[in-house]
Amino acid sequence: MTKARLATVWLDGCSGCHMSLLDMDEKILEVAKVADVVYSPLVDTKDFPENVDVALVEGAVSSEDDLEKIQRIRKNSRFLVALGDCAVTGNVAAMRNLFGVRAVLDRSYRLTSVPAGSPPDQIVPRLLSRVRPLHEVVAVDLTVPGCPPSAGVIHHVVTELLAGRTPDVTDLTRFGA
Amino acid sequence: MSPKVRIKTLKIDGRDIGAREDETILQVARENGIQIPTLCHLDGLEPIGACRLCMVEVRGSSRLLPACVTRVEEGMEVTTKSPRLIRHRRMILELLFAERNHVCSVCVVNGKCELQSLAVALGMTQVRTPYRFPRFELDASHPRFVNDHNRCVLCARCVRVCDEIEGAHTWDIMGRGVNGRVITDLNEPWGESNSCTGCGKCVHVCPTGALSEKGTLREDAGKQRDFLPYLTLMREVRR
Amino acid sequence: MPIERVLAMASAQVEAESKFEHHIHVCVASGCLSSGSDRVLQALRDEVKGRGLENKVLVKGVGCLGLCAAAPLIAVFPEGTYYQAVKPEDAPEIIDSLGKAPIERLHCPTDRPFFQKQNKIVLENSGYIDPLRIEEYVARGGYQALIEVLTEMSPNAVIEQITLSGLRGRGGGGYPTGLKWTTVAKSPGTLKYIICNADEGDPGAFMDRSVLESDPHRVLEGMAIAAYAVGATRGYVYCRAEYPVAIDRLDKAIKQAKKTGLLGPNVLSTPFSFDVEVRLGAGAFVCGEETALIASIEGKQGRPRHRPPYPAESGLFGYPTLINNVETFANIAPIIRNGGAWFAEIGTRGSHGTKVFALAGKVQYTGLIEVPMGTTLHEIVYEMGGGIPDNRPCKAIQTGGPSGGCIPARFIDLPVDYESLREKGSMMGSGGMIVMDDTSDMVDVARFFMEFCVGESCGKCVPCRVGTAQMNDLLTKIIDGKATKHDIVHLEELCELLRDTSLCGLGQSAPNPVVSTLTHFRQEYLDRLVETDEEAAS
Ligand SMILES: Cc1cc2nc3c(=O)[nH]c(=O)nc-3n(C[C@H](O)[C@H](O)[C@H](O)COP(=O)(O)O)c2cc1C
Ligand code: SF4
Ligand code: FES
């Protein structure tokens, strides 16, 4: 039996969703029996591979790099899950939309750093003018809100998807859960 | 006791139901355990039919009707759930979430918010309509309470409770459309309001984290919304 | 006896006017005023005085002469010659020409369909009387209907005539006026109110303003007859403060009518009493909605409320209230004078009488026209309007303002009446009519009206408050070439939501301009879409 190809991605989020994923503890071994994790902050692959069956994406789209990534992820994945409030709503990551990029960069690089510096213009990806939830940028197949969604919910989502069913999470999790 | 009140019979979701003629569809539905989502409505306050979540279908009427302000009528056939109603309610809820900055994860009433519960009740796990991200200030000038416009849904419960129950009319709504916002007195900081009695009723009736008590953590930021019917009942008895 | 006094006033005025050999009417309605017609009026008066012709030539300010595009307009009688774009310097030449051939340079031919095809009932006095003088209104048969009603008719008989006439509300909804009056008349209570809705908030509409500026007594007479018919004793005219000229003339008209015994306690020494006051609105579109308007008069915020109860049952301060539009009231006196059957003869089967339109946009002749219901768009655009400048093709005609829609040119033979317009996804509205040629961008038009609704939504109900803002953003996204077909789906969902769930007519009809352009000009939307989210994000 060929195993399903599973990917997990960390865009602009706090990694809490990945922590929650790891909180599955020993259940993760079950998942490993039916799926290969082909890409993840937890494994050592540089580029998002092709032919991914299920991609779990944590975090909002905040930088040019995020944007490129999510578009590639969409192209290469059959089923894309927006995992957690940042991916689903923008959440805390999107709170900077109220102030604008300029003000945010000034605050972190000029006003609060000693000695005052200036926002980087190389290496660090440029921020988009506006943080967006995934579905505003690409088509999303399932949204799983929660900050973070519990390990149980993530386990349910993954196992259902790997079994070829689309899970219904409406009664299991919610915004801010 | 009020003199003659007639009884009407009607059907809600196919069930035969009897009701007093001065009751609304919403009241009767709830008495009979039929759930209709509401937000601006709160038992004990004058209904205003503003949020439009409680819209129902009535046979013979091409228009949808808000259950919270529509009186029962003899022979009415009400449908509270239909694909169209469900679609519309979801969309209204999405519009509400998209209108301001409802970041549930960092809200004082996370877990005790009516807006959040509505999302669960209506199975809404995604806001497809673009978020607007307006910029609003916070008014923390009052010694005990905070007003965070970012989380306000303009249901006008605070306005009504302050006017109808407390009698202070400290709250009102200023501006039109998406630029509307609740204000205290003539748009003065809450802490400087002369009319505010500090009773806190507005905080308790607020469905979201827009009005909250300072220093309360999530666990005890719960709001008691059921005091109103008692209060109004007591007053009526006294009268 | 006040009645005799009124009749004497009328004949004295007729006689006084007949003494003059020449009458020069200078339009002093807002359109011409803004082009300096007050200075033209003064120049003509000075010229007449300078030549010592005060007893031969009568120069007076009158209400709207109609062809506002050619302002300032004047009319010279008995010849009935119109002059356009008149300047104060032209005064001597005009006086020279009296009784002679018209001045070619200024001549504005009136044998055009613009003038010929009109049928003036509401505007019958517009351009003939000095709106500031009750004598002139009375001399042209004004207040005769009120006298007749008070002396010879029972309230029921009045309502019967209105019902028979088939008159429908001119404020947009087209509700049968007779039926509305009956409801208010039947509502129990001794205190009832009459409200004249002069809020006129549609962008580009100025019919009601023109009626009030040109013939304010006609509206007061209509209100008084209504009050008698339904048993009301107090009336309000709710007029937007942006209409200072109309307000001033109304105020003066009310004073004159009171002085003459036509308003106030015991009108014309009968038991009927009726008092009218003007209330100013701050110019919010939503305050034209009847329940919001009532709240505004009560001193509350101008926000609509759920109906029922309808104002007819529980309106101003909780009392039964009759609320009608300016033009509706302006039709009342002629209906009483000539009988309901006469009025019912004019127009089409479901829409009787005439309608005043503010004709604007891409036509040769713009201005105010009054045509019988059922006149076709073709007659209005190509005959009366003189067609599209530069012979460009007509693309669409917008009626009903932000609540209406765009009717594509292929329906140019559509008769203008309540039903036909609605069938084509538009509505009569209050009477704005904008003609568009092939250079008009329909998505832009839709956004223009949506933007208006965003600013005017009162914000009470969620679908309208947030929905209009979201639709406006979506339209902008489409115009900016950043939208995909999903955005069109979303736009259509919002259209349906607003129509089905908004609290008042503003939100319910706000999608109309979008729906009608999506129906008739869909390709213009589709042409601007991009294929993928990626393109949209770039
Ligand atoms: C948003 C909105 C704006 C309106 N504006 C006006 C207005 O400016 N003038 C008017 O006469 N009616 C207006 N109406 C219609 C009034 O609510 C009311 O129906 C009308 O004044 C009744 O008079 P009628 O029966 O003579 O038409 C408006 C309605 C809505 C929903
Ligand atoms: S539809 Fe718009 S204008 Fe009317 S009540 Fe609702 S928000 Fe106000
Ligand atoms: S609960 Fe009925 S409209 Fe809000």
Side-chain angles (χ1 to χ4, degrees), chain C residues 165-166 168 170 343-344 346-354 372-374 416-420 428:
Chain C
S165 75
R168 294 169 65 175
R170 301 297 195 235
F343 192 84
I346 307 165
T348 63
R349 202 135 61 87
S351 309
H352 302 283
T354 58
M373 293 278 188
V416 177
D417 59 52
Y418 290 102
E419 276 71 30
S420 306
M428 183 78 75

mmCIF file of all heavy atoms in Angstrom, chain C residues 165-166 168 170 343-344 346-354 372-374 416-420 428:
data_model
loop_
_atom_site.group_PDB
_atom_site.id
_atom_site.type_symbol
_atom_site.label_atom_id
_atom_site.label_comp_id
_atom_site.label_asym_id
_atom_site.label_seq_id
_atom_site.Cartn_x
_atom_site.Cartn_y
_atom_site.Cartn_z
ATOM 1 N N SER C 165 -59.801 58.225 -8.685
ATOM 2 C CA SER C 165 -58.771 58.779 -9.572
ATOM 3 C C SER C 165 -57.661 57.770 -9.841
ATOM 4 O O SER C 165 -56.958 57.858 -10.834
ATOM 5 C CB SER C 165 -58.158 60.036 -8.952
ATOM 6 O OG SER C 165 -57.278 59.662 -7.904
ATOM 7 N N GLY C 166 -57.501 56.806 -8.931
ATOM 8 C CA GLY C 166 -56.435 55.822 -9.106
ATOM 9 C C GLY C 166 -55.067 56.385 -8.799
ATOM 10 O O GLY C 166 -54.054 55.766 -9.124
ATOM 11 N N ARG C 168 -51.622 57.076 -7.275
ATOM 12 C CA ARG C 168 -50.711 56.272 -6.455
ATOM 13 C C ARG C 168 -49.567 57.150 -5.966
ATOM 14 O O ARG C 168 -49.195 58.111 -6.622
ATOM 15 C CB ARG C 168 -50.176 55.098 -7.267
ATOM 16 C CG ARG C 168 -51.284 54.113 -7.615
ATOM 17 C CD ARG C 168 -50.837 53.089 -8.620
ATOM 18 N NE ARG C 168 -49.789 52.216 -8.084
ATOM 19 C CZ ARG C 168 -49.305 51.174 -8.773
ATOM 20 N NH1 ARG C 168 -49.757 50.911 -9.976
ATOM 21 N NH2 ARG C 168 -48.366 50.424 -8.256
ATOM 22 N N ARG C 170 -46.443 59.158 -5.126
ATOM 23 C CA ARG C 170 -45.352 59.557 -6.005
ATOM 24 C C ARG C 170 -43.994 59.535 -5.301
ATOM 25 O O ARG C 170 -42.997 59.948 -5.865
ATOM 26 C CB ARG C 170 -45.608 60.964 -6.555
ATOM 27 C CG ARG C 170 -46.914 61.114 -7.346
ATOM 28 C CD ARG C 170 -46.926 60.258 -8.598
ATOM 29 N NE ARG C 170 -47.988 60.654 -9.526
ATOM 30 C CZ ARG C 170 -48.917 59.823 -10.001
ATOM 31 N NH1 ARG C 170 -48.935 58.568 -9.627
ATOM 32 N NH2 ARG C 170 -49.827 60.248 -10.857
ATOM 33 N N PHE C 343 -59.082 62.241 -13.860
ATOM 34 C CA PHE C 343 -57.688 61.869 -13.610
ATOM 35 C C PHE C 343 -57.434 60.436 -14.066
ATOM 36 O O PHE C 343 -56.400 60.122 -14.666
ATOM 37 C CB PHE C 343 -57.390 62.014 -12.114
ATOM 38 C CG PHE C 343 -55.938 61.929 -11.756
ATOM 39 C CD1 PHE C 343 -55.121 63.051 -11.836
ATOM 40 C CD2 PHE C 343 -55.387 60.730 -11.322
ATOM 41 C CE1 PHE C 343 -53.780 62.976 -11.487
ATOM 42 C CE2 PHE C 343 -54.038 60.649 -10.980
ATOM 43 C CZ PHE C 343 -53.239 61.774 -11.061
ATOM 44 N N ALA C 344 -58.421 59.573 -13.789
ATOM 45 C CA ALA C 344 -58.267 58.162 -14.121
ATOM 46 C C ALA C 344 -58.142 57.937 -15.624
ATOM 47 O O ALA C 344 -57.592 56.933 -16.074
ATOM 48 C CB ALA C 344 -59.439 57.359 -13.563
ATOM 49 N N ILE C 346 -56.358 59.699 -17.602
ATOM 50 C CA ILE C 346 -54.997 60.000 -18.043
ATOM 51 C C ILE C 346 -54.085 58.841 -17.651
ATOM 52 O O ILE C 346 -54.212 58.300 -16.553
ATOM 53 C CB ILE C 346 -54.502 61.304 -17.385
ATOM 54 C CG1 ILE C 346 -55.509 62.418 -17.632
ATOM 55 C CG2 ILE C 346 -53.114 61.691 -17.880
ATOM 56 C CD1 ILE C 346 -55.318 63.619 -16.741
ATOM 57 N N GLY C 347 -53.174 58.480 -18.514
ATOM 58 C CA GLY C 347 -52.196 57.458 -18.154
ATOM 59 C C GLY C 347 -52.585 56.068 -18.617
ATOM 60 O O GLY C 347 -53.315 55.904 -19.589
ATOM 61 N N THR C 348 -52.087 55.054 -17.901
ATOM 62 C CA THR C 348 -52.325 53.675 -18.299
ATOM 63 C C THR C 348 -53.299 53.012 -17.335
ATOM 64 O O THR C 348 -53.782 53.654 -16.406
ATOM 65 C CB THR C 348 -51.013 52.874 -18.279
ATOM 66 O OG1 THR C 348 -50.530 52.846 -16.934
ATOM 67 C CG2 THR C 348 -49.955 53.503 -19.174
ATOM 68 N N ARG C 349 -53.508 51.736 -17.535
ATOM 69 C CA ARG C 349 -54.525 51.051 -16.738
ATOM 70 C C ARG C 349 -54.175 51.002 -15.247
ATOM 71 O O ARG C 349 -55.018 51.205 -14.388
ATOM 72 C CB ARG C 349 -54.726 49.628 -17.273
ATOM 73 C CG ARG C 349 -56.027 49.019 -16.928
ATOM 74 C CD ARG C 349 -56.651 48.334 -18.125
ATOM 75 N NE ARG C 349 -55.780 47.255 -18.598
ATOM 76 C CZ ARG C 349 -55.819 46.011 -18.119
ATOM 77 N NH1 ARG C 349 -56.677 45.701 -17.181
ATOM 78 N NH2 ARG C 349 -55.010 45.085 -18.576
ATOM 79 N N GLY C 350 -52.916 50.752 -14.953
ATOM 80 C CA GLY C 350 -52.555 50.642 -13.541
ATOM 81 C C GLY C 350 -51.925 51.903 -12.971
ATOM 82 O O GLY C 350 -51.767 52.047 -11.770
ATOM 83 N N SER C 351 -51.537 52.816 -13.846
ATOM 84 C CA SER C 351 -50.869 54.035 -13.392
ATOM 85 C C SER C 351 -51.564 55.237 -14.015
ATOM 86 O O SER C 351 -51.481 55.436 -15.218
ATOM 87 C CB SER C 351 -49.394 54.034 -13.818
ATOM 88 O OG SER C 351 -48.766 52.827 -13.444
ATOM 89 N N HIS C 352 -52.244 55.979 -13.186
ATOM 90 C CA HIS C 352 -53.026 57.098 -13.709
ATOM 91 C C HIS C 352 -52.324 58.421 -13.499
ATOM 92 O O HIS C 352 -51.449 58.553 -12.649
ATOM 93 C CB HIS C 352 -54.390 57.125 -13.042
ATOM 94 C CG HIS C 352 -55.139 55.853 -13.233
ATOM 95 N ND1 HIS C 352 -55.773 55.531 -14.396
ATOM 96 C CD2 HIS C 352 -55.291 54.786 -12.406
ATOM 97 C CE1 HIS C 352 -56.311 54.329 -14.291
ATOM 98 N NE2 HIS C 352 -56.024 53.850 -13.080
ATOM 99 N N GLY C 353 -52.756 59.385 -14.281
ATOM 100 C CA GLY C 353 -52.233 60.738 -14.118
ATOM 101 C C GLY C 353 -50.900 60.923 -14.817
ATOM 102 O O GLY C 353 -50.562 60.219 -15.771
ATOM 103 N N THR C 354 -50.147 61.869 -14.292
ATOM 104 C CA THR C 354 -48.867 62.218 -14.908
ATOM 105 C C THR C 354 -47.750 61.935 -13.913
ATOM 106 O O THR C 354 -48.003 61.628 -12.753
ATOM 107 C CB THR C 354 -48.832 63.727 -15.213
ATOM 108 O OG1 THR C 354 -49.035 64.419 -13.984
ATOM 109 C CG2 THR C 354 -49.898 64.106 -16.218
ATOM 110 N N PRO C 372 -47.705 62.216 -19.199
ATOM 111 C CA PRO C 372 -48.702 61.237 -18.766
ATOM 112 C C PRO C 372 -48.026 59.900 -18.512
ATOM 113 O O PRO C 372 -47.077 59.543 -19.214
ATOM 114 C CB PRO C 372 -49.651 61.118 -19.967
ATOM 115 C CG PRO C 372 -49.327 62.245 -20.869
ATOM 116 C CD PRO C 372 -47.926 62.675 -20.578
ATOM 117 N N MET C 373 -48.489 59.169 -17.526
ATOM 118 C CA MET C 373 -48.005 57.815 -17.293
ATOM 119 C C MET C 373 -48.184 57.038 -18.587
ATOM 120 O O MET C 373 -49.197 57.206 -19.280
ATOM 121 C CB MET C 373 -48.836 57.147 -16.201
ATOM 122 C CG MET C 373 -48.641 57.772 -14.843
ATOM 123 S SD MET C 373 -47.171 57.125 -14.067
ATOM 124 C CE MET C 373 -47.344 57.854 -12.449
ATOM 125 N N GLY C 374 -47.232 56.191 -18.890
ATOM 126 C CA GLY C 374 -47.346 55.384 -20.104
ATOM 127 C C GLY C 374 -46.624 55.990 -21.296
ATOM 128 O O GLY C 374 -46.530 55.361 -22.346
ATOM 129 N N VAL C 416 -43.538 54.183 -19.556
ATOM 130 C CA VAL C 416 -43.108 54.493 -18.194
ATOM 131 C C VAL C 416 -44.315 54.459 -17.262
ATOM 132 O O VAL C 416 -45.131 55.373 -17.266
ATOM 133 C CB VAL C 416 -42.423 55.872 -18.153
ATOM 134 C CG1 VAL C 416 -42.051 56.228 -16.726
ATOM 135 C CG2 VAL C 416 -41.189 55.866 -19.032
ATOM 136 N N ASP C 417 -44.448 53.366 -16.544
ATOM 137 C CA ASP C 417 -45.456 53.279 -15.494
ATOM 138 C C ASP C 417 -44.924 52.345 -14.413
ATOM 139 O O ASP C 417 -43.886 51.708 -14.604
ATOM 140 C CB ASP C 417 -46.809 52.806 -16.041
ATOM 141 C CG ASP C 417 -46.713 51.448 -16.707
ATOM 142 O OD1 ASP C 417 -46.184 50.518 -16.074
ATOM 143 O OD2 ASP C 417 -47.152 51.313 -17.872
ATOM 144 N N TYR C 418 -45.610 52.294 -13.286
ATOM 145 C CA TYR C 418 -45.091 51.543 -12.134
ATOM 146 C C TYR C 418 -44.747 50.102 -12.493
ATOM 147 O O TYR C 418 -43.650 49.622 -12.217
ATOM 148 C CB TYR C 418 -46.109 51.546 -10.990
ATOM 149 C CG TYR C 418 -46.282 52.885 -10.343
ATOM 150 C CD1 TYR C 418 -47.377 53.692 -10.638
ATOM 151 C CD2 TYR C 418 -45.344 53.363 -9.430
ATOM 152 C CE1 TYR C 418 -47.534 54.938 -10.041
ATOM 153 C CE2 TYR C 418 -45.496 54.599 -8.827
ATOM 154 C CZ TYR C 418 -46.598 55.384 -9.137
ATOM 155 O OH TYR C 418 -46.752 56.602 -8.553
ATOM 156 N N GLU C 419 -45.699 49.413 -13.145
ATOM 157 C CA GLU C 419 -45.518 47.983 -13.405
ATOM 158 C C GLU C 419 -44.409 47.723 -14.415
ATOM 159 O O GLU C 419 -43.562 46.856 -14.212
ATOM 160 C CB GLU C 419 -46.824 47.348 -13.883
ATOM 161 C CG GLU C 419 -47.743 46.935 -12.746
ATOM 162 C CD GLU C 419 -48.368 48.125 -12.044
ATOM 163 O OE1 GLU C 419 -48.577 49.164 -12.718
ATOM 164 O OE2 GLU C 419 -48.614 48.051 -10.832
ATOM 165 N N SER C 420 -44.435 48.462 -15.526
ATOM 166 C CA SER C 420 -43.463 48.185 -16.585
ATOM 167 C C SER C 420 -42.037 48.370 -16.083
ATOM 168 O O SER C 420 -41.148 47.579 -16.396
ATOM 169 C CB SER C 420 -43.694 49.102 -17.777
ATOM 170 O OG SER C 420 -45.019 49.012 -18.209
ATOM 171 N N MET C 428 -40.129 53.284 -10.501
ATOM 172 C CA MET C 428 -40.457 54.687 -10.757
ATOM 173 C C MET C 428 -39.616 55.578 -9.852
ATOM 174 O O MET C 428 -39.120 56.603 -10.276
ATOM 175 C CB MET C 428 -41.940 54.900 -10.465
ATOM 176 C CG MET C 428 -42.424 56.282 -10.749
ATOM 177 S SD MET C 428 -42.685 56.557 -12.500
ATOM 178 C CE MET C 428 -44.196 55.670 -12.790
#
